[in-house]
Every structure is written in structure tokens, then in C-alpha cells.
Amino acid sequence: MNIQKTATVSLSFKRLKKAALLGLAITGLGLTTSAQAQDPEVPGNIKWTIPFGVGGGTDVWARFFSPWLSESLPGEPTIMIDNVPGGGSINGANLFAVRAKSDGSHWLGTSASTQYPAMLEDPRVRYDYSDWTPILATPTGGVVYAQPDLGETAETALDALLAQPVKLAAQNPTGVELPVLIALDMLGADVQAVFGMRSRGEGRLAFERGEADIDFQTTSAYLSNVTPLVEAGKAVPLFSLGALNDEGEIVRDPAFPDLPTFNEVYQARHGEAPTGNEYQAFRKFFASGYALQKLIMVPKDTPQALIETYRQAARDFVGTDAFKEDAAAQLGPYTPVIGETVQRHLEDAMSIDDATRDWLADWLQSEHGAKI
């Protein structure tokens, strides 16, 4: 009997041990499967469509980011820049909308001139931002400034600006100057916009020749070309457009921390914060054209795990000292915005209600003879 009991106990122990080992093996297999699901395979080649010509601002931006992204992604994929210019970026974005694969191998780089036509429902647009998911956005800012003969300080220049018609050399009423034109209108300025400039640089040159009373430049152009004018007493900065924080609030631009934002100037002049359809139009075009000026987009059906891999790769390098030093000249003092924050702000910016759209259409037609 004792021998039989010992044999039974020994057999039971062996069965338990075998079961335990089998359980560990199954658990290990589950962990491996889970790890594989969370670590998707990044395509070896990624085609990054840039709907602008070689050497333009968005092309330079993409070529700056591509090695950082490649080196931070698993397997260090080859990122190929595919320039598809035409239609102010509409042609390339249209092609991406119909041809891009959702396996993570196709990216699109967009800019304000891609966002604005979609928001304005340009009939040439065949793309929809709701079909894409953002990976990363890079902000910029801008400053409105005046001739010193309007006033030697921002306050006196603004007083004169609001008391007489002023000229602004601009490209077109629905381009990069749109939120600036809305802001000036909200302040009560009678802006005589002269359209047809081929670039903001041409607008600045018109200002320098004395042909324009006020001008506007984005951050990089302002720092390099307008700061010397200010230092020489040939230009007076009035306000910046500001920057967008994570909560979606407009705050002071980190490039111009001592300069009030448009919102601050409006409140100081009117005794209350800006509101209404006019302000909603300003805020949305500011957000999509400046706070989220350039974007990396992928088709929304791209596997979520791959989207997170791309976003994490960006997070891994944007906080490094090496990137910050390298990016100073290219991006200015702005930190790229990544992931859910971009998505939330982009969805808000691109959605325009009927009342705001109706106001914008009427305003563009009555003030600048432009139809949307």
C-alpha cells in the first residue's frame, strides 16, 4: 500500500509539473504574440508626398525631418521625398487621396495652402482631412508691423492706423494673409489691400519702399528681414498672431514673448475678449495656417499600432538637445506638436459651422471682392 501511494503521489507531481510547464509555455506564447501585435513592422520604404516643388519651404521642411524620423523608427526605413507640385499643393494632395496605401508606406506633407482650400471648399479639392490622421505638426507665428511715420510706438501707430486708410501689399485674400486681414478688420482698420504679390517677401519690399503702410511676416522672415528694420527705426511692431497651447488657447508667441497677441490688443482696445463669427473665422484659420502650419498625415485606415510607432519615433527625438540645436534655424523656437493634441486641434480648426462660413463669404465678397 505504501508503495502504491508513493507511486501515485510521484505520478501526480509529474502531471502537475508538466501542466505548469505547459501553462508557462502558453503564457510565453501569449506574451510574444502580444508583443508582436504592439510592435508592428515598419515598411522598409516610405514614400512621403510633398505637394510642392523642390526647394520650397515645405520641401526643405520635409528633407530636414526625414533623417530624424528614419533614424528613430525601427529598422531605419528609407524615406523617399516625392515632389508633386501644382495647384498650390492641391494637385499633389488630390493624388495622395486616391493613391495612398494604408499600410504605413505612404505619408503626405501639408501646409497652410493645403488646409485653406479645403476649409474654403475650393471646387478643385478632392481630398478630405477627415480621411487622414496626423502624426506631427510644426507651428509658426507672425507679426504685423507699421511704418514709423504712423507712430514711434505700437500704441501711437495703432491710433493712427485706425484713424485713416492704410495699404497692405498682399498675395490674395484667401491665402496666408487671411487671418491677418480678419484681425485688422476686427480692430477697426480700413485696410486697402493691394493683391498680386508673388510672395510675402514682395510685400515686405513694398513696405521698405514706402508703398505700404503696414506689413506682415511669418516668424522666420520677420526675424531675419524685419528685425533689422525695427532696430534701425524703420518699422514698428504692433502685435503677433500668438501661439496655440495644448488646451487650444491663444497665448504669447515664444518667438516674441514681449509682444502682445492680437487677442490682447483687441481686449485692450475694446474692453472685452474677441467673440462672434468673425473671431471664429480668425481663430480657425490661424490654427490651421500657423499653429498647425505643416503636417505629416497618413491615411486614417493605417493600423493604429503603426500610427503610434510613428508618433513615438517623433517624441523620441524632438526633446533631445541635438534636435533642438539642429531645428533652431529651421523651425525657430517652436516645439513640434505630436499625436492626439494635433488631432484634436486639427479637427477643431477644420470644422467651420454654417454661420461662420456665411459670415466669411459675405466679408470676403464685400471687403475684398473674393468669392468662395
Side-chain angles (χ1 to χ4, degrees):
M1 290 291 293
N2 289 338
I3 295 174
Q4 287 179 338
K5 286 177 68 176
T6 302
T8 301
V9 170
S10 177
L11 181 60
S12 298
F13 176 76
K14 288 179 180 178
R15 286 174 177 170
L16 286 170
K17 185 177 180 182
K18 184 176 181 181
L21 289 172
L22 180 61
L24 287 172
I26 292 171
T27 302
L29 179 62
L31 290 172
T32 302
T33 303
S34 177
Q36 288 173 343
Q38 294 175 5
D39 188 19
E41 184 176 352
V42 175
N45 294 291
I46 295 172
K47 184 166 79 170
W48 191 355
T49 298
I50 300 299
F52 301 91
V54 175
T58 305
D59 176 67
V60 171
W61 166 82
R63 293 177 192 277
F64 167 77
F65 268 101
S66 59
W68 285 97
L69 287 159
S70 176
E71 291 168 14
S72 299
L73 283 167
E76 298 190 6
T78 298
I79 299 177
M80 302 170 291
I81 305 296
D82 182 26
N83 297 93
V84 187
S89 82
I90 291 176
N91 292 1
N94 281 344
L95 285 172
F96 182 85
V98 297
R99 294 182 180 178
K101 296 179 181 178
S102 300
D103 60 359
S105 66
H106 286 74
W107 296 0
L108 174 68
T110 72
S111 189
S113 54
T114 323
Q115 276 91 263
Y116 281 12
M119 296 170 71
L120 295 168
E121 297 183 348
D122 188 311
R124 297 172 297 166
V125 168
R126 297 289 183 269
Y127 52 87
D128 188 333
Y129 270 74
S130 65
D131 293 333
W132 302 332
T133 296
I135 303 300
L136 171 150
T138 56
T140 191
V143 175
V144 176
Y145 54 98
Q147 293 285 0
D149 58 10
L150 288 175
E152 295 182 356
T153 68
E155 283 296 319
T156 57
L158 272 169
D159 288 340
L161 170 67
L162 300 178
Q164 65 188 64
V166 290
K167 288 184 179 180
L168 168 71
Q171 292 170 271
N172 62 76
T174 57
V176 69
E177 296 100 348
L178 177 55
V180 177
L181 291 168
I182 295 173
L184 290 167
D185 184 76
M186 290 185 70
L187 288 173
D190 181 6
V191 177
Q192 309 288 311
V194 179
F195 297 114
M197 301 296 110
R198 289 173 295 181
S199 67
R200 289 302 320 132
E202 281 197 359
R204 188 195 79 251
L205 292 175
F207 176 88
E208 290 187 42
R209 292 192 298 266
E211 297 167 3
D213 304 297
I214 56 174
D215 191 42
F216 165 81
Q217 294 293 326
T218 56
T219 298
S220 58
Y222 184 90
L223 292 174
S224 60
N225 298 314
V226 182
T227 298
L229 298 178
V230 175
E231 292 172 347
K234 296 179 180 180
V236 179
L238 302 178
F239 59 85
S240 79
L241 295 184
L244 207 62
N245 66 14
D246 287 350
E247 289 71 42
E249 302 164 332
I250 295 178
V251 296
R252 288 207 174 188
D253 190 321
F256 314 103
D258 298 326
L259 199 59
T261 64
F262 157 68
N263 289 35
E264 291 178 85
V265 171
Y266 182 94
Q267 182 148 1
R269 294 260 160 181
H270 294 269
E272 59 182 1
T275 58
N277 293 326
E278 192 170 11
Y279 179 65
Q280 286 303 311
F282 162 80
R283 189 182 178 285
K284 288 179 180 292
F285 282 92
F286 158 73
S288 67
Y290 293 85
L292 307 171
Q293 190 200 40
K294 297 189 188 301
L295 291 152
I296 300 176
M297 309 292 286
V298 297
K300 71 174 182 180
D301 293 333
T302 301
Q304 188 62 35
L306 260 181
I307 290 171
E308 290 305 321
T309 297
Y310 294 153
R311 288 174 171 176
Q312 188 56 50
R315 292 187 191 100
D316 289 342
F317 68 75
V318 297
T320 65
D321 291 339
F323 175 79
K324 290 176 183 177
E325 182 178 350
D326 202 15
Q330 176 67 32
L331 305 179
Y334 303 105
T335 302
V337 188
I338 301 164
E340 294 300 328
T341 302
V342 183
Q343 190 152 354
R344 185 172 68 253
H345 290 173
L346 184 63
E347 287 173 358
D348 177 64
M350 300 295 288
S351 60
I352 302 178
D353 61 34
D354 291 340
T356 300
R357 185 177 299 281
D358 289 345
W359 174 87
L360 183 61
D362 290 343
W363 179 79
L364 284 168
Q365 175 65 46
S366 62
E367 295 297 320
H368 301 294
K371 293 183 179 181
I372 61 169

